[in-house]
Amino acid sequence: YLETGINILRDVSIDDNLQLYIDLHRFASQAHYSSGNFDKMDVCLDAVLERTDLDIMDKLPLYIIRCHALYASYKLTESLALSQQVLEEMGYKRLPDKASTFDVVMDLIKTKRLLKKHTGKIPELPLMEDEKRVYAMTLYHTMGSTLYMLGSSVLPILILRWTRWALKYGLTGHSCTAIVFYAFMITSMGDLEGGREYGEVTVQMLERYAC
């Protein structure tokens, strides 16, 4: 069905049907990804991503599919590099290439201060409205899994930034993952009570927002 739609568009003006062109290639690439046909997926993705007349917001859903596919193919370094590139194109700060214990401690202090201001209020936070940040949070989700598999020292920095974004800008479907990652991280540091507390917060978020 999707390929039929794409073929039909070849006989008409793409510029007059640009959003349809993007959507058909997006859903076709997702279908090929889901069925494991990565070669056809790449063709559909490149048809949009290689266009120079499109805004980054038009390309974001397709970039995310490619990041997922690279991760699924165990091309972890490539998936991470593409995620970093896309974050930068969106105007957001890249994650560092490595993080020291000092870096993690400073970020942890910053995050704990912000969490203290939201004690008991996290599940009541509004949903994130900035579409670009929502896509960035989706990228963070993929990057979290990639950094974990790579055993990267940067993973705590990602978790802490991800958590602060949820507190500052609102919740998304991936905010639950950020908070539970935070709970896991502080538990591994010996803060069992804090880990339990934020584990319970995550359950409350799941119940309210179906994260």
Side-chain angles (χ1 to χ4, degrees):
Y1 171 78
L2 293 165
E3 288 181 351
T4 298
I6 290 170
N7 289 333
I8 291 173
L9 278 182
R10 290 173 181 157
D11 298 325
V12 298
S13 171
I14 291 177
D15 290 338
D16 292 337
N17 300 274
L18 190 54
Q19 190 57 54
L20 178 60
Y21 175 87
I22 295 169
D23 290 341
L24 284 172
H25 283 83
R26 171 188 176 183
F27 292 123
S29 61
Q30 181 68 59
H32 289 311
Y33 164 69
S34 299
S35 62
N37 194 335
F38 288 179
D39 289 338
K40 286 189 175 181
M41 176 203 72
D42 283 333
V43 171
C44 290
L45 290 175
D46 289 341
V48 175
L49 296 178
E50 291 181 356
R51 292 183 66 99
T52 58
D53 58 340
L54 297 179
D55 184 83
I56 183 63
M57 290 299 293
D58 295 318
K59 297 181 178 183
L60 279 176
L62 293 97
Y63 272 129
I64 288 171
I65 293 170
R66 175 153 283 167
C67 289
H68 287 170
L70 289 169
Y71 176 82
S73 302
Y74 212 69
K75 296 177 180 178
L76 303 179
T77 304
E78 292 177 40
S79 177
L80 182 61
L82 180 59
S83 298
Q84 292 270 52
Q85 173 196 320
V86 174
L87 277 177
E88 200 164 43
E89 287 184 27
M90 294 167 72
Y92 298 129
K93 188 178 178 181
R94 293 169 59 99
L95 290 172
D97 293 328
K98 57 183 178 179
S100 66
T101 301
F102 177 78
D103 295 328
V104 174
V105 169
M106 293 304 294
D107 247 32
L108 181 60
I109 292 171
K110 190 188 307 183
T111 306
K112 280 183 174 289
R113 286 175 178 167
L114 193 57
L115 282 165
K116 190 173 182 180
K117 295 179 182 179
H118 292 82
T119 301
K121 302 176 184 177
I122 296 175
E124 309 301 321
L125 290 172
L127 294 178
M128 186 179 290
E129 296 182 353
D130 186 331
E131 186 181 5
K132 188 161 70 169
R133 284 191 187 275
V134 171
Y135 278 120
M137 291 285 271
T138 304
L139 275 176
Y140 280 172
H141 186 269
T142 304
M143 293 172 76
S145 300
T146 305
L147 290 167
Y148 177 80
M149 293 295 291
L150 289 170
S152 172
S153 63
V154 179
L155 179 58
I157 300 295
L158 171 68
I159 293 170
L160 295 167
R161 184 188 296 185
W162 195 0
T163 300
R164 291 197 302 273
W165 270 32
L167 300 175
K168 289 181 179 180
Y169 306 114
L171 305 179
T172 74
H174 294 301
S175 297
C176 298
T177 310
I179 301 300
V180 81
F181 270 22
Y182 175 78
F184 177 80
M185 186 179 81
I186 61 175
T187 298
S188 68
M189 294 177 172
D191 185 1
L192 302 183
E193 181 59 28
R196 181 194 62 78
E197 176 186 349
Y198 288 105
E200 291 179 354
V201 167
T202 304
V203 172
Q204 294 170 21
M205 292 167 65
L206 283 167
E207 291 172 348
R208 181 173 181 191
Y209 294 108
C211 292

